[in-house]
């Protein structure tokens, strides 16, 4: 399944300054029955977003119209817990294309990269600067540049670099998942196979 190409993303951000956000909070286990990757955004942070009668919790950030954007800024150790792919699906389906944190659980990070969500790991100091800037002005924008692997707080011009696997970077810039990548080099594979003795 091809995804949106990721090059440079400039957007406001939604702050979630909570540490150790686990995948069961991102998408509760009772919503894992679906096999398609659609519809999970409706239940992103379900138990934090809604009361038992399905009314929105006014004090949760996704229900606050003050904040919007394609970037989610989370606290340290984002995506910990179980390895469910559905957590990354929910983040993508809601509309986020980038998650920023000072530390990601490895499996969650890889699941995001597989479906077109860019996990950007920054220093604890820079993360706090982002939170402070958003608190001061919810319209604060971040610029995430995948080609140069930088994230910039546009209000101050401060910037940090981030790491990403070269293969995953190439896939994200082309909008490929792993299967798309193989299909894109199908002719090369066929040529190699034809010229390789058994």
């Amino acid at each position: 399944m091809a995804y949106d190409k990721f090059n440079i993303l400039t957007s406001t951000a939604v702050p979630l300054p909570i540490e150790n956000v686990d995948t069961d909070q991102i998408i509760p286990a009772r919503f894992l029955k679906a096999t398609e990757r659609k519809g999970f955004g409706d239940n992103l942070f379900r138990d934090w977003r809604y009361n038992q009668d399905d009314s929105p919790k006014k004090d949760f950030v996704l229900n606050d119209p003050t904040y919007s954007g394609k970037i989610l800024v989370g606290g340290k150790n984002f995506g910990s817990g179980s390895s469910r792919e559905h957590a990354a699906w929910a983040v993508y389906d809601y509309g986020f294309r980038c998650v920023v944190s000072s530390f990601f659980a490895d499996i969650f990070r890889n699941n995001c990269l597989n479906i077109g969500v860019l996990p950007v790991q920054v220093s604890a100091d820079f993360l706090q600067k982002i939170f402070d800037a958003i608190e001061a002005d919810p319209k604060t924008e971040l610029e995430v540049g995948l080609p140069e692997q930088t994230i910039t707080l546009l209000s101050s011009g401060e910037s940090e670099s981030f790491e990403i696997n070269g293969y995953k970077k190439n896939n994200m810039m082309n909008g490929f998942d792993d299967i798309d990548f193989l299909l894109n080099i199908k002719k090369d594979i066929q040529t190699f196979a034809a010229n390789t003795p058994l």
Side-chain angles (χ1 to χ4, degrees):
M1 179 177 178
Y3 293 95
D4 302 333
K5 294 181 180 180
F6 197 115
N7 195 287
I8 296 175
L9 174 64
T10 302
S11 175
T12 52
V14 176
L16 188 68
I18 301 172
E19 293 188 358
N20 304 311
V21 173
D22 64 40
T23 53
D24 194 52
Q25 295 299 339
I26 296 172
I27 184 73
R30 63 187 182 277
F31 299 111
L32 305 187
K33 296 178 182 178
T35 55
E36 293 188 359
R37 298 178 181 178
K38 298 177 181 178
F40 286 98
D42 293 339
N43 296 309
L44 177 67
F45 298 115
R46 179 75 191 193
D47 294 337
W48 289 352
R49 283 170 70 190
Y50 297 100
N51 296 301
Q52 289 187 348
D53 63 359
D54 291 334
S55 61
K57 295 181 180 180
K58 294 182 180 179
D59 60 347
F60 186 61
V61 67
L62 293 190
N63 298 327
D64 186 344
T66 304
Y67 302 102
S68 63
K70 294 186 175 184
I71 301 172
L72 175 64
V73 184
K76 182 182 179 181
N77 197 26
F78 193 90
S80 59
S82 70
S83 61
R84 64 191 67 167
E85 293 176 293
H86 307 71
W89 297 356
V91 169
Y92 183 93
D93 193 62
Y94 186 83
F96 292 118
R97 293 297 172 264
C98 176
V99 181
V100 180
S101 176
S102 59
F103 183 81
F104 291 97
D106 286 341
I107 295 175
F108 177 79
R109 179 206 306 272
N110 288 329
N111 286 340
C112 283
L113 289 169
N114 287 340
I115 65 156
V117 175
L118 180 62
V120 172
Q121 186 166 316
V122 297
S123 67
D125 287 344
F126 194 68
L127 182 67
Q128 189 58 53
K129 288 178 181 179
I130 294 173
F131 281 134
D132 291 344
I134 296 172
E135 183 178 4
D137 179 8
K139 298 302 180 186
T140 291
E141 289 188 317
L142 297 171
E143 182 181 272
V144 181
L146 182 53
E148 301 299 324
Q149 298 175 213
T150 57
I151 177 170
T152 304
L153 186 57
L154 293 181
S155 58
S156 66
E158 292 175 275
S159 182
E160 268 199 5
S161 60
F162 60 89
E163 297 296 321
I164 183 172
N165 173 279
Y167 166 71
K168 294 298 186 183
K169 176 180 178 179
N170 178 69
N171 276 0
M172 289 201 70
M173 291 184 66
N174 285 287
F176 292 163
D177 64 13
D178 291 334
I179 295 174
D180 295 316
F181 173 79
L182 291 174
L183 290 174
N184 187 59
I185 60 171
K186 181 179 178 180
K187 289 183 179 179
D188 293 336
I189 294 171
Q190 289 172 331
T191 299
F192 177 81
N195 294 310
T196 301
L198 296 175

